[in-house]
């Protein structure tokens, strides 16, 4: 399997995509290094303002002339009462006090999605990918009319079919092994917990657009398996998180590098949306508590995570990781990509 359709679509030498991990991991240095190495770098712009995203795009362009992409979150609007918000803030009070933080204000979330879309159009980004749903038809058409490639995310066959019907050029098939948030949007999270070995061939049988496999892929064995199962490209997140160019916190990298396959849990505690990460004190103590829906819970815990990062306290950080942490290595991007693919003919 050569992945030619994906490499032609992304204008890369190697059918490997670096996942658009939001929250500061995908620095311009990381994204540019991936593209310079012949794979495809992605800015994780999910939590960025439109201006910050555009600045990041410009920084990547200064470092490489190779193509790269931007990943955007399709917005969600949870319905919560003032009482729910008060209870959620109160549940976090002990952690704020332990970190020496002031009282929490009301979580604020600004929908910047359309501004981000305008930003990628103005900056002429060649590829835009989406997570947490399918964007409005007019957004897809405006990007495609500008000559951009659009890529969706699916965690079930039905979601993949919907992505193809909406006009996506390719789809990321994201298995349950994936770290961080998954892109489930058409069913409940638990029903979409389908492993890559089951998900890939079933999606392959039901869509005609190229499939990019994601979830638990860390080395050449995972890459080869994905191609056998019907993928034409692969997307890796955790493997790039521990590279030297990654912007992940040092304690986050260390946690992944020293974790085993049974050390990850799926938790809503940090963001209000189920996400896979390494178990820590926060995930244990918040288990079963009521939390706000995404993105309100994410906004509420953001100051705690930021302060925990400043103090290098891993117990209060969202230590996102897929299910293959034993395969993580502290290497350069170029070393990782060479080990993943070798020569592609």
């Amino acid at each position: 399997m050569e992945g030619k359709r994906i490499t032609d679509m992304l204008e890369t030498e190697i059918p490997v995509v670096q996942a658009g991990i939001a929250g500061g991991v995908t620095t311009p240095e990381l994204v540019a290094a991936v593209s310079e190495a012949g794979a495809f770098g992605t800015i994780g712009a999910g939590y960025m303002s439109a201006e910050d995203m555009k600045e990041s795009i410009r920084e990547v362009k200064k470092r490489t002339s190779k193509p790269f992409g931007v990943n955007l979150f399709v917005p969600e609007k949870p319905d919560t009462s003032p009482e729910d918000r008060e209870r959620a803030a109160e549940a976090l009070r002990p952690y704020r006090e332990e970190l020496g933080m002031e009282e929490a204000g009301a979580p604020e979330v600004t929908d910047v999605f359309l501004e981000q879309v305008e930003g990628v159009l103005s900056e002429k980004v060649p590829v835009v990918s989406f997570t947490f749903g399918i964007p409005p038809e007019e957004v897809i058409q405006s990007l495609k009319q500008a000559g951009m490639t659009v890529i969706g995310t699916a965690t079930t066959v039905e979601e993949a079919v919907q992505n193809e019907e909406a006009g996506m050029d390719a789809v990321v098939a994201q298995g349950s092994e994936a770290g961080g948030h998954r892109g489930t949007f058409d069913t409940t999270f638990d029903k979409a917990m389908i492993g890559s070995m089951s998900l890939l061939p079933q999606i392959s049988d039901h869509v005609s657009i190229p499939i990019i496999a994601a979830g638990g892929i860390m080395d050449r064995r995972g890459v080869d398996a994905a191609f056998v199962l019907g993928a034409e490209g692969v997307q890796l997140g955790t493997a790039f998180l521990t590279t030297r160019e990654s912007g992940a916190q040092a304690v986050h990298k260390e946690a992944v590098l020293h974790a085993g396959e049974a050390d990850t849990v799926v938790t809503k505690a940090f963001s209000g949306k189920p996400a896979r990460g390494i178990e820590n004190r926060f995930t244990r103590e918040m288990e079963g508590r009521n939390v706000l829906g995404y993105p309100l819970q994410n906004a509420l815990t953001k100051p705690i995570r930021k302060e925990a990062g400043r103090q290098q306290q891993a117990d209060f950080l969202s230590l996102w990781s897929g299910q293959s942490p034993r395969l993580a290595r502290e290497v350069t991007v170029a070393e990782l990509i060479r080990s993943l693919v070798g020569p592609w003919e």
Side-chain angles (χ1 to χ4, degrees):
M1 295 285 182
E2 298 180 357
K4 285 185 177 179
R5 293 175 65 189
I6 284 293
T7 52
D8 290 345
M9 186 178 290
L10 302 180
E11 298 182 29
T12 61
E13 301 168 20
I14 299 167
V16 170
V17 177
Q18 163 247 310
I21 306 169
V25 173
T26 57
T27 59
E29 181 184 12
L30 172 65
V31 175
V34 173
S35 292
E36 279 292 300
F40 192 80
T42 310
I43 296 171
Y47 301 134
M48 291 182 180
S49 68
E51 284 306 313
D52 286 346
M53 179 198 69
K54 288 192 285 187
E55 180 59 31
S56 187
I57 291 169
R58 292 165 190 157
E59 284 298 316
V60 175
K61 288 179 177 178
K62 289 178 183 178
R63 294 170 179 265
T64 183
S65 59
K66 303 285 185 66
F68 64 93
V70 171
N71 179 260
L72 301 179
F73 291 168
V74 177
E76 300 174 64
K77 297 177 181 177
D79 184 19
T80 58
S81 68
E83 292 77 18
D84 289 336
R85 298 189 186 208
E86 287 180 14
R87 281 193 290 268
E90 184 61 28
L92 298 174
R93 182 192 298 273
Y95 305 110
R96 300 181 68 89
E97 291 177 350
E98 187 170 337
L99 290 167
M101 300 172 64
E102 297 178 356
E103 288 294 318
E108 295 183 6
V109 177
T110 303
D111 184 357
V112 296
F113 178 70
L114 293 180
E115 292 177 30
Q116 291 176 326
V117 171
E118 289 300 319
V120 295
L121 283 166
S122 67
E123 295 296 326
K124 297 179 173 59
V125 179
V127 178
V128 183
S129 59
F130 297 94
T131 307
F132 303 156
I134 298 174
E137 180 181 358
E138 57 269 23
V139 169
I140 297 172
Q141 291 307 314
S142 65
L143 295 171
K144 296 187 78 166
Q145 287 169 7
M148 298 178 183
T149 294
V150 289
I151 300 175
T153 303
T155 61
T156 66
V157 170
E158 180 56 33
E159 289 178 352
V161 170
Q162 289 182 37
N163 270 280
E164 181 171 34
E165 290 175 344
M168 293 295 179
D169 296 305
V171 63
V172 174
Q174 192 181 32
S176 59
E177 305 93 334
H181 300 93
R182 294 175 69 235
T184 303
F185 64 90
D186 187 57
T187 187
T188 58
F189 184 87
D190 58 330
K191 288 185 176 181
M193 288 290 283
I194 304 160
S196 293
M197 185 167 283
S198 295
L199 185 64
L200 284 168
Q202 293 185 88
I203 288 182
S204 180
D205 286 347
H206 287 84
V207 301
S208 59
I209 56 176
I211 299 166
I212 301 169
I217 302 171
M218 300 284 285
D219 61 16
R220 182 62 190 252
R221 292 170 294 181
V223 173
D224 289 345
F227 280 94
V228 169
L229 293 171
E232 296 185 19
V234 293
Q235 178 173 286
L236 291 79
T238 306
F240 282 106
L241 187 148
T242 59
T243 59
R244 297 202 177 100
E245 295 91 340
S246 160
Q249 294 273 359
V251 290
H252 189 172
K253 291 183 180 183
E254 283 300 308
V256 173
L257 290 166
H258 291 92
E261 73 286 351
D263 292 333
T264 69
V265 294
V266 176
T267 179
K268 291 184 178 181
F270 286 106
S271 70
K273 179 187 285 290
R276 185 179 296 282
I278 297 169
E279 184 180 38
N280 60 10
R281 179 181 150 197
F282 190 84
T283 63
R284 287 191 296 271
E285 293 180 354
M286 290 293 289
E287 178 69 25
R289 295 193 189 182
N290 290 328
V291 299
L292 298 178
Y294 175 87
L296 291 173
Q297 182 74 9
N298 188 74
L300 196 59
T301 66
K302 182 179 179 179
I304 293 173
R305 289 178 280 123
K306 183 176 180 180
E307 180 61 23
R310 191 185 71 79
Q311 297 184 24
Q312 294 291 285
Q313 291 206 34
D315 266 333
F316 306 122
L317 285 175
S318 48
L319 304 171
W320 302 141
S321 171
Q323 283 189 310
S324 305
R326 290 186 193 271
L327 304 179
R329 296 182 299 140
E330 186 179 9
V331 294
T332 67
V333 161
E335 289 169 338
L336 172 62
I337 292 173
R338 283 198 298 270
S339 72
L340 285 173
V341 297
W344 283 85
E345 299 176 357

